[in-house]
Amino acid sequence: MNKAVFLDRDGVLIEERNYLKHPDEVVVFPRTPHALARLKRGGFKLIIVTNQSGVGRGYFTVEDVDAVHNHIISILEPYGAVPDKFYFAPEAPGTPSRGRKPSPQFLLDAAAEFELDLSSCFMVGDKLVDLETGWNAGVNRSILVRTGYGHELEESASQEIGSAVIVDDLEAAAEWILSVSSGS
């Protein structure tokens, strides 16, 4: 069985932008490529799981989301840090959705597609729904990064984030994951 790190997109890999719709709005956090490359070298699949309700709200299209993801890939490729898969839920909140976080469905789909042992996987995010997605899927640990909305969540919802590991950014999350996975 394989292992993976599931990652939220906005606020984790890239700077949070309200309803990001154009590739030229993408700002990858400086340490993201290095952190993702380290996880890949550590034997982890990289799976992006993101809610993109701007599609369901009519702010942008599925093609816009694909263009943003292709741009992110082009930035990460020179580092050997390309995600193995992007899953995104285009539905607006309150509408039926198979994969909208905190649903674990995309993690379950990835487990089947990549033969993952979810108990050896991790979920990294900056919102409570990200952490809940990991918990709902039965991953090893959900990790909150203080980038994006993470810092605010840490201050406002300490009870709700309970068993989550809390780190400064994706690089610190990668360091923690690699240290735990190596048994050190």
Side-chain angles (χ1 to χ4, degrees):
M1 296 295 276
N2 295 307
K3 55 190 178 178
V5 177
F6 297 98
L7 304 125
D8 178 47
R9 190 189 81 179
D10 303 339
V12 176
L13 302 179
I14 63 176
E15 288 183 9
E16 176 67 42
R17 300 274 193 258
N18 273 337
Y19 302 110
L20 181 139
K21 60 184 171 186
H22 295 295
D24 61 358
E25 297 174 316
V26 171
V27 177
V28 173
F29 287 122
R31 298 177 349 166
T32 291
H34 175 70
L36 294 178
R38 287 189 65 207
L39 290 168
K40 278 229 178 224
R41 286 192 307 271
F44 287 92
K45 300 283 186 195
L46 302 175
I47 313 289
I48 311 307
V49 181
T50 179
N51 290 345
Q52 293 299 315
S53 70
V55 174
R57 297 171 196 254
Y59 300 159
F60 49 86
T61 67
V62 168
E63 292 77 18
D64 293 329
V65 175
D66 289 339
V68 166
H69 290 168
N70 288 332
H71 184 65
I72 292 170
I73 288 168
S74 73
I75 293 169
L76 298 176
E77 195 167 32
Y79 299 91
V82 173
D84 294 279
K85 182 94 178 206
F86 284 83
Y87 290 95
F88 70 94
E91 300 85 6
T95 60
S97 174
R98 182 175 176 276
R100 185 172 172 75
K101 295 180 288 183
S103 167
Q105 190 59 55
F106 289 152
L107 279 64
L108 301 174
D109 291 349
E113 181 177 348
F114 293 100
E115 299 180 349
L116 302 174
D117 171 9
L118 287 172
S119 69
S120 297
C121 297
F122 300 86
M123 177 74 209
V124 180
D126 68 323
K127 295 181 182 172
L128 186 57
V129 294
D130 301 322
L131 304 177
E132 292 170 338
T133 300
W135 295 327
N136 292 340
V139 300
N140 181 306
R141 289 302 277 276
S142 286
I143 302 168
L144 177 70
V145 291
R146 291 184 178 110
T147 52
Y149 294 108
H151 184 72
E152 293 170 25
L153 181 64
E154 180 184 19
E155 290 181 356
S156 67
S158 59
Q159 295 286 50
E160 290 89 345
I161 59 178
S163 66
V165 172
I166 303 170
V167 297
D168 285 335
D169 58 16
L170 183 55
E171 186 172 57
E175 183 70 32
W176 188 88
I177 290 167
L178 291 167
S179 70
V180 167
S181 297
S182 69
S184 56

